[in-house]
């Protein structure tokens, strides 16, 4: 892993030389890249831009966390507001939704880079992301976005280990994917429903759960937590039921398979 880390440092240093903006969610992947970019920027006397998308489909916490972490690292933090709901195709949540969303977001970011004379747009796609259903990766390639972690075959676990060694504050932060992943494909996306799901997940997290997904199938809310936390969830069932019933959820279930990233992709070709 040490060799990969050195290669990553070298790769990011070269990107910083040309001028760089980083798609920054405040997650561990983009935070590792931003940390190394800021260190290279200090040595080269170059500004490093961390750009966060404020959207209808990403958790509200992304903006709050990204502001904090970008400040810790000394990056210039910018926020680009994008309303995915203006795209009628995305509203229908098709199986290629991730492609359409990424294309929409990164067209904005490449325009930002161009307007600020920055040669490279960088994102935190890692090697594990290439092994699952991620149609958005195609959009990144079409727009020339650089993904150093994926290029150097650096896995999520390796990212976390590197981030921990650099004392990055979000080294253990769980992934926070697009809120549309909480609904089945070909289901109309409704902002009010997604907002309710986001608040429900946030509430459950206040009870001591790091990883939570509330997936909604019509009237059924299917809660995913890690297998070791299932008993704890049942012990907190009444608080969760009360909160979710007040929010308008009808049937509330625990998924006994436990948390699985991309569980709505089960019937898709990988």
């Amino acid at each position: 892993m040490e060799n990969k880390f050195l290669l990553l440092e070298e790769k990011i240093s070269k990107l910083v030389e040309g001028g760089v903006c980083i798609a920054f969610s405040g997650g561990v992947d983009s935070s590792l890249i931003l940390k190394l970019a800021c260190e290279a920027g200090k040595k080269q006397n170059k500004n490093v831009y961390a750009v966060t998308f404020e959207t209808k489909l990403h958790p509200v916490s992304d903006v709050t966390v990204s502001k904090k972490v970008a400040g810790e690292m000394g990056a210039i933090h910018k926020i680009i507001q994008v309303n995915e709901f203006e795209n009628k195709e995305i509203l229908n949540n098709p199986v290629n939704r991730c492609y359409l969303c990424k294309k929409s977001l990164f067209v904005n970011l490449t325009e930002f880079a161009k307007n600020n004379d920055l040669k490279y747009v960088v994102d935190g796609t890692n090697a594990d992301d290439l092994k699952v259903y991620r149609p958005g990766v195609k959009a990144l390639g079409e727009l020339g976005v650089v993904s150093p972690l994926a290029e150097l075959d650096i896995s999520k676990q390796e990212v976390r280990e590197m981030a921990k060694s650099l004392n990055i504050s979000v080294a253990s932060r769980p992934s926070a994917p697009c809120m549309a992943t909480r609904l089945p494909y070909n289901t109309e996306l409704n902002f009010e429903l997604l907002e309710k799901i986001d608040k429900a997940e946030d509430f459950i997290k206040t009870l001591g759960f790091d990883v939570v997904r509330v997936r909604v199938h019509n009237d059924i809310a299917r809660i995913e937590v890690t297998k070791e936390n299932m008993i704890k969830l049942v012990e907190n069932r009444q608080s969760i039921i009360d909160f979710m019933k007040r929010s308008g959820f009808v049937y509330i279930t625990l998924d006994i398979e436990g948390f699985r990233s991309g569980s709505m992709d089960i019937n898709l070709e990988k």
Side-chain angles (χ1 to χ4, degrees), residues 26-160:
V28 62
D29 300 304
S30 56
S31 292
L32 174 61
I33 291 171
L34 184 61
K35 175 71 172 179
L36 296 178
C38 285
E39 289 182 351
K42 289 173 187 174
K43 294 175 184 176
Q44 300 173 25
N45 196 28
K46 291 268 193 177
N47 289 328
V48 173
Y49 290 82
V51 182
T52 302
F53 299 113
E54 185 172 11
T55 84
K56 298 289 187 182
L57 291 180
H58 288 81
V60 175
S61 59
D62 276 6
V63 174
T64 304
V65 173
S66 63
K67 282 181 182 178
K68 176 179 177 292
V69 179
E72 291 170 354
M73 296 181 181
I76 298 173
H77 188 232
K78 299 290 183 179
I79 296 173
I80 295 178
Q81 294 183 331
V82 179
N83 183 0
E84 302 98 328
F85 286 10
E86 292 176 352
N87 184 323
K88 291 183 179 179
E89 282 188 279
I90 292 174
L91 268 179
N92 294 321
N93 198 23
V95 293
N96 69 335
R97 179 208 68 244
C98 184
Y99 169 82
L100 297 172
C101 282
K102 286 285 187 187
K103 194 71 175 278
S104 172
L105 295 175
F106 279 84
V107 162
N108 279 274
L109 190 51
T110 52
E111 188 67 23
F112 173 89
K114 181 180 177 182
N115 291 339
N116 288 275
D117 296 319
L118 303 170
K119 185 175 181 180
Y120 299 108
V121 173
V122 180
D123 93 310
T125 300
N126 64 57
D128 291 343
D129 293 326
L130 304 183
K131 300 174 184 176
V132 291
Y133 184 67
R134 293 285 190 275
V137 172
K138 179 183 176 184
L140 299 178
E142 290 174 354
L143 293 170
V145 176
V146 183
S147 303
L149 301 175
E151 289 179 14
L152 295 172
D153 195 32
I154 297 174
S155 68
K156 187 74 169 190
Q157 182 58 37
E158 289 172 324
V159 168
R160 292 201 184 280

Side-chain angles (χ1 to χ4, degrees), residues 220-231:
I220 299 172
R222 173 170 58 88
I223 303 173
E224 295 179 12
V225 294
T226 56
K227 293 176 183 178
E228 58 268 23
N229 274 331
M230 286 185 185
I231 293 176

Side-chain angles (χ1 to χ4, degrees), residues 173-191:
R173 185 189 179 203
S175 299
C178 167
M179 292 303 298
T181 60
R182 280 36 166 208
L183 299 174
Y185 289 113
N186 299 314
T187 299
E188 184 177 355
L189 299 177
N190 178 292
F191 177 67

